[in-house]
């Protein structure tokens, strides 16, 4: 998830484990350790664009790092001046809890995590949380702010624990919401006679009320949305996105295209071809409507790459950022869809 959430979670978990021996000093320590796995990006200057996709959320998020990294970090903490008061057990379990919760909430997102790297580059993701979700993060922030400013240690510990409990409850709710939503999508597909090769249900931006369903069929990819506030008699509509595989035949054997295919787990499509270039998007991350009634392929995509078709197998990997004007208007469209208004989606 986002850096603020990871830092807040690390601080909250660190304080929950170490408030007794370290007091408020546990907060910055937990924050630093909660951020540490994402510092794999410091190696980016040494890596090319392809290697960066493999590297991020790779080794530093693997089960091997959880074990060996926890042991190494605990060993260091036992030798630092202000953390040597920790017992071996306190140091190891505290660090292990911080690293594990960091990796776990990354697994909850559609980006996923390479839990078995470097032995396997498979990305594990359950898709039940968006990469930024205020309802998960805010309780953590309230808990750690209480631990910073309140005088009563009992209240500090209690409110920090409450923040962790609320965030955990919200994560549990997201799994329940996802399960109910998946059933609704499956029912809609059966009613419409759509045969799915594979499916993916994921939380939409910033919430767990509106859900997105991605379906692979013989014709291409279908995208549908369902909200808890949709009227009961409203049928789920799916929009087709053709992959246009033929448009990227010239670069299909290129190393950069192979990493896009791996990263997207095959959920990719060509949404634009222009002047000898093809724009490929990762369909899993959702599309952002920039105007009412847009087709999915015309919307802004968080993960997209431009390939120079003339370069063939030597085509470089060029990632493009989505062009989004009027952020408030985009949020307004999202909020309308969450409430059950389907115009613009």
């Amino acid at each position: 998830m986002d850096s603020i959430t990871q830092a807040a979670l690390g601080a909250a978990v660190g304080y929950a484990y170490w408030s007794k021996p370290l007091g408020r000093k546990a907060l910055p320590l937990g924050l630093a350790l909660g951020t540490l796995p994402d510092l794999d990006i410091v190696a980016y200057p040494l890596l090319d664009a392809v290697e960066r996709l493999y590297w991020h959320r790779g080794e530093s998020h693997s089960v091997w790092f959880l074990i060996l990294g926890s042991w190494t970090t605990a060993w260091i903490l036992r030798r630092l001046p202000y953390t040597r008061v920790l017992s071996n057990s306190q140091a190891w379990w505290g660090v292990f809890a911080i690293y594990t919760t960091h990796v776990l909430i990354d697994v909850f997102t559609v980006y996923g995590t390479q839990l078995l790297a470097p032995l396997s580059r498979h990305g594990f993701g359950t898709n039940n949380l968006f990469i930024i979700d205020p309802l998960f993060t805010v309780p953590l922030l309230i808990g750690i702010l209480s631990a910073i400013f309140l005088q009563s240690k009992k209240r500090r510990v209690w409110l920090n624990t409450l923040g962790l409990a609320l965030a955990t409850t919200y994560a549990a709710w997201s799994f329940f919401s996802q399960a109910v939503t998946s059933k609704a999508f499956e029912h809609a597909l059966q009613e419409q006679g759509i045969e799915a090769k594979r499916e993916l249900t994921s939380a939409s931006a910033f919430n767990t009320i509106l859900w997105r369903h991605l379906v692979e069929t013989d014709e291409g990819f279908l995208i549908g949305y369902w909200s808890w506030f949709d009227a009961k008699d409203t049928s789920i509509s799916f929009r087709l996105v053709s992959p246009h595989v033929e448009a990227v035949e010239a670069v299909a054997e290129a190393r950069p295209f192979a990493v896009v295919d791996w990263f997207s787990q095959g959920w990719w499509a060509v949404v634009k071809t222009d002047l000898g270039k093809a724009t490929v998007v990762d369909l899993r991350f959702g599309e952002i409507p920039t105007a009412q009634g847009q087709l999915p392929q015309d919307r802004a995509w968080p993960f997209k790459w431009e390939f120079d078709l003339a370069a063939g197998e030597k085509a470089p990997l060029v990632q493009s950022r989505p062009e989004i004007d009027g952020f408030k208007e985009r949020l307004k469209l999202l909020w309308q869809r969450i409430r059950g208004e389907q115009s613009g989606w």
Side-chain angles (χ1 to χ4, degrees), residues 1 108-110 127-131 133 136 170-171 174 203 208 211:
M1 295 185 75
F108 289 169
T109 68
V110 74
N127 322 312
N128 54 293
L129 288 177
F130 190 67
I131 56 174
D133 194 324
F136 181 86
Y170 181 73
S174 71
T208 53
W211 292 81

Side-chain angles (χ1 to χ4, degrees), residues 209-332:
I209 300 298
L210 176 63
W211 292 81
R212 180 177 182 270
H213 201 60
L214 184 59
V215 186
E216 183 179 5
T217 69
D218 290 331
E219 289 73 33
F221 298 104
L222 299 176
I223 298 173
Y225 285 88
W226 182 87
S227 170
W228 281 88
F229 293 109
D230 284 353
K232 291 185 179 180
D233 58 348
T234 301
S235 61
I236 298 174
S237 59
F238 294 92
R239 292 193 174 188
L240 177 67
V241 177
S242 176
H244 294 296
V245 177
E246 71 285 350
V248 288
E249 287 182 356
V251 296
E253 301 300 321
R255 174 171 168 260
F257 189 81
V259 77
V260 168
D261 183 53
W262 161 80
F263 177 76
S264 65
Q265 298 183 355
W267 295 105
W268 60 266
V270 179
V271 295
K272 181 181 179 182
T273 53
D274 185 39
L275 300 176
K277 293 184 178 181
T279 301
V280 180
V281 301
D282 187 333
L283 297 170
R284 299 173 303 157
F285 288 88
E287 68 284 7
I288 306 168
T290 56
Q292 293 281 356
Q294 276 184 321
L295 295 174
Q297 52 265 40
D298 296 327
R299 299 178 181 182
W301 295 86
F303 277 85
K304 66 177 181 179
W305 300 267
E306 287 189 359
F307 285 92
D308 182 357
L309 300 177
E313 294 185 11
K314 296 182 179 180
L317 184 64
V318 180
Q319 185 172 351
S320 303
R321 297 299 179 186
E323 299 176 0
I324 305 174
D325 296 323
F327 185 68
K328 290 183 178 179
E329 290 300 317
R330 307 293 77 77
L331 284 179
K332 182 179 178 181

Side-chain angles (χ1 to χ4, degrees), residues 1-2 5 129-142 167 170 204-208:
M1 295 185 75
D2 64 282
T5 301
L129 288 177
F130 190 67
I131 56 174
I132 302 174
D133 194 324
L135 289 179
F136 181 86
T137 308
V138 169
L140 298 172
L141 291 174
I142 293 175
Y170 181 73
S204 66
F206 316 131
N207 76 103
T208 53

Side-chain angles (χ1 to χ4, degrees), residues 68-84:
L68 298 178
S70 296
W71 183 87
T72 303
T73 306
W75 184 87
I76 294 173
L77 292 181
R78 287 280 293 128
R79 283 150 182 82
L80 293 177
Y82 88 96
T83 54
R84 64 179 53 169

Side-chain angles (χ1 to χ4, degrees), residues 117-191:
L119 301 182
S120 170
R121 289 297 176 185
H122 177 74
F124 294 86
T126 55
N127 322 312
N128 54 293
L129 288 177
F130 190 67
I131 56 174
I132 302 174
D133 194 324
L135 289 179
F136 181 86
T137 308
V138 169
L140 298 172
L141 291 174
I142 293 175
I144 62 176
L145 287 173
S146 300
I148 293 173
F149 294 109
L150 292 182
Q151 294 300 315
S152 170
K153 183 176 181 180
K154 184 177 181 180
R155 288 185 178 181
R156 294 200 304 263
V157 172
W158 187 84
L159 287 172
N160 182 70
T161 303
L162 179 61
L164 282 169
L166 289 174
T168 302
T169 301
Y170 181 73
W173 147 260
S174 71
F175 279 108
F176 170 77
S177 183
Q178 184 185 43
V180 172
T181 304
S182 295
K183 290 292 183 182
F185 282 122
E186 289 176 11
H187 182 67
L189 292 174
Q190 291 174 359
E191 281 191 333

